Amino acid sequence: MNIENSRRYYGEVLTGSADLRTDACCTADAPSSVIRTALANVHEEVRARYYGCGLVVPDALGGLSVLDLGSGSGQDAYLIAQMVGEDGSVTGVDATPEQLAVANRHLEWHAERFGYANVRFLEGDIERLDELGLPDASFDVIVSNCVINLVADKAAVFRAAHRLLKPGGELYFSDVYADRRVAAELLQDPVLHGECLAGALYWGDFDRLAKQAGFGDPRLVTDRPLGIGDAAVAEKVEGHRFFSATYRLFKLDGLEPQCEDYGQAVRYRGTIAGSERAFLLDGHHLIEAGRLFPVCGNTWKMLAETRFAEHFEFFGDFSRHFGVFAGCGTTLPYASEGADISVAASCC
């Protein structure tokens, strides 16, 4: 049901973001001035058919090869195209012909606007990426925006993403999660599925699937409780709490199950464009420029063995172990204050 319902819902039922009944597939994060400027260079028809739930434009993308899973009408792809620049590339994959038609219709318009052409779109199911013939270890970064919840075989998506990433590469994505496993009777509801609720992963299952695919130590970047403005939808999901969350997963060997303390620290040089004052690795690591910042061994690797290495100074090594970092827990990771599902939906 999942792929066919997605094609119908996003290709026929929805004509724009105003048709959504919840804010599950809307972006609430305030974009930076860099993103706002780039967004002004995206065609208005592309922006009108946008259904993402977060900002999936991570830092330091210049010259990189990026894959967008579930690229829809192309807004994120065209934003990222400006961040990677003429020397980088963006490949979007989507299964909805109507959305792809919008994205492809404006390829030349964006190439003229940017001064270069570095975007392509492929029709395909992100559960079956093997069928597209994309080479292993061919992408520096993979992004996805409120799409993985729509597919049935989520484990297949994580496995394929790990295979397609280069060593040290990153899966940076936003999606919808639940505080418990969604009741079985809700899984076949076409509206709940299309509104990104029925397919929402229980956060504990996500953590397990990500690690099984090879992504050790998933990092939560941002999260927010979802609002549901449709009374009928809210009644159907009563008892469940839903959250929009952005995660980053690194393809790195040697990440440990816990955040282990080796007495290490880093100092951010302030050299990432758009994040000169501070670099946000995740919700627990906002690293101010020029300040010595203690880190665990996993965080050290996420900075030292990825594209971020040139932007940091590193202090210490792995020769002495001091135990686990305090606060490395396994409870619900999302902020639930004000998580009232009756709050009216709103897209920004």
Side-chain angles (χ1 to χ4, degrees), residues 22 25 36 48 52 71 91 98 137 161 163 170 215 322 347:
T22 77
C25 295
R36 288 197 300 270
S71 51
T91 299
E98 292 85 352
R163 175 180 62 82
E170 176 186 9
F215 294 109
F322 295 94
C347 297

Side-chain angles (χ1 to χ4, degrees), residues 69-150:
L69 300 180
S71 51
S73 64
Q75 176 170 301
D76 291 327
Y78 286 125
L79 282 176
I80 292 170
Q82 298 172 73
M83 303 299 109
V84 302
E86 189 172 3
D87 294 330
S89 65
V90 182
T91 299
V93 176
D94 202 87
T96 304
E98 292 85 352
Q99 289 281 78
L100 283 168
V102 174
N104 281 311
R105 185 154 56 239
H106 302 296
L107 279 169
E108 291 186 10
W109 187 93
H110 287 96
E112 183 176 348
R113 188 90 167 188
F114 302 160
Y116 50 83
N118 64 350
V119 183
R120 64 170 176 161
F121 296 100
L122 305 176
E123 183 172 354
D125 183 352
I126 67 171
E127 292 177 271
R128 297 195 290 270
L129 287 169
D130 293 351
E131 298 177 2
L132 296 180
L134 298 171
D136 292 357
S138 56
F139 294 97
D140 299 290
V141 174
I142 297 176
V143 300
S144 184
N145 202 335
C146 209
V147 176
I148 297 176
N149 76 85
L150 296 172

Side-chain angles (χ1 to χ4, degrees), residues 172-183:
Y172 187 94
F173 70 108
S174 296
D175 222 300
V176 178
Y177 299 88
D179 69 333
R180 64 198 68 189
R181 295 186 179 107
V182 177

Side-chain angles (χ1 to χ4, degrees), residues 21-347:
R21 304 188 190 187
T22 77
D23 68 356
C25 295
C26 304
T27 300
D29 301 328
S32 67
S33 59
V34 174
I35 298 301
R36 288 197 300 270
T37 299
L39 190 58
N41 290 326
V42 176
H43 195 281
E44 60 182 9
E45 185 183 14
V46 170
R47 288 186 275 121
R49 295 293 294 266
Y50 170 73
Y51 306 113
C53 62
L55 290 173
V56 292
V57 186
D59 285 319
L61 292 178
L64 300 187
S65 174
V66 179
L67 175 65
D68 182 0
L69 300 180
S71 51
S73 64
Q75 176 170 301
D76 291 327
Y78 286 125
L79 282 176
I80 292 170
Q82 298 172 73
M83 303 299 109
V84 302
E86 189 172 3
D87 294 330
S89 65
V90 182
T91 299
V93 176
D94 202 87
T96 304
E98 292 85 352
Q99 289 281 78
L100 283 168
V102 174
N104 281 311
R105 185 154 56 239
H106 302 296
L107 279 169
E108 291 186 10
W109 187 93
H110 287 96
E112 183 176 348
R113 188 90 167 188
F114 302 160
Y116 50 83
N118 64 350
V119 183
R120 64 170 176 161
F121 296 100
L122 305 176
E123 183 172 354
D125 183 352
I126 67 171
E127 292 177 271
R128 297 195 290 270
L129 287 169
D130 293 351
E131 298 177 2
L132 296 180
L134 298 171
D136 292 357
S138 56
F139 294 97
D140 299 290
V141 174
I142 297 176
V143 300
S144 184
N145 202 335
C146 209
V147 176
I148 297 176
N149 76 85
L150 296 172
V151 306
D153 192 352
K154 297 171 175 61
V157 179
F158 293 126
R159 288 195 302 268
H162 191 271
R163 175 180 62 82
L164 291 169
L165 281 171
K166 299 175 184 178
E170 176 186 9
L171 171 58
Y172 187 94
F173 70 108
S174 296
D175 222 300
V176 178
Y177 299 88
D179 69 333
R180 64 198 68 189
R181 295 186 179 107
V182 177
E185 62 269 20
L186 301 179
L187 297 180
Q188 298 304 313
D189 187 300
V191 173
L192 295 184
H193 174 256
E195 294 286 335
C196 307
L197 301 178
L201 268 174
Y202 164 53
W203 70 271
D205 289 338
F206 157 69
D207 188 77
R208 172 178 53 82
L209 291 176
K211 290 176 179 176
Q212 286 176 348
F215 294 109
D217 197 3
R219 292 297 179 91
L220 175 63
V221 182
T222 61
D223 65 278
R224 64 179 176 88
L226 297 185
I228 301 176
D230 186 292
V233 172
E235 183 178 1
K236 287 180 180 180
V237 299
E238 186 177 4
H240 299 75
R241 287 188 296 164
F242 296 92
F243 303 84
S244 173
T246 298
Y247 278 94
R248 64 190 335 155
L249 311 179
F250 290 96
K251 182 177 180 176
L252 289 169
D253 292 333
L255 293 180
E256 299 183 278
Q258 302 289 337
C259 295
E260 304 292 347
D261 186 356
Y262 295 93
Q264 296 160 308
V266 299
R267 181 180 289 128
Y268 174 44
R269 301 179 187 273
T271 50
I272 296 177
S275 298
E276 291 82 0
R277 186 190 66 80
F279 170 73
L280 178 67
L281 176 67
D282 58 52
H284 295 288
H285 296 83
L286 180 63
I287 306 174
E288 292 183 278
R291 186 174 186 175
L292 197 66
F293 194 96
V295 295
C296 70
N298 283 356
T299 298
W300 171 283
K301 285 179 172 291
M302 292 174 186
L303 299 174
E305 299 179 13
T306 67
R307 68 188 190 278
F308 301 121
E310 64 182 286
H311 302 287
F312 286 85
E313 298 175 72
F314 297 89
F315 303 88
D317 53 34
F318 287 87
S319 62
R320 187 175 180 185
H321 182 228
F322 295 94
V324 69
F325 258 91
C328 183
T330 56
T331 58
L332 179 74
Y334 311 126
S336 58
E337 290 80 0
D340 181 359
I341 65 171
S342 67
V343 175
S346 176
C347 297

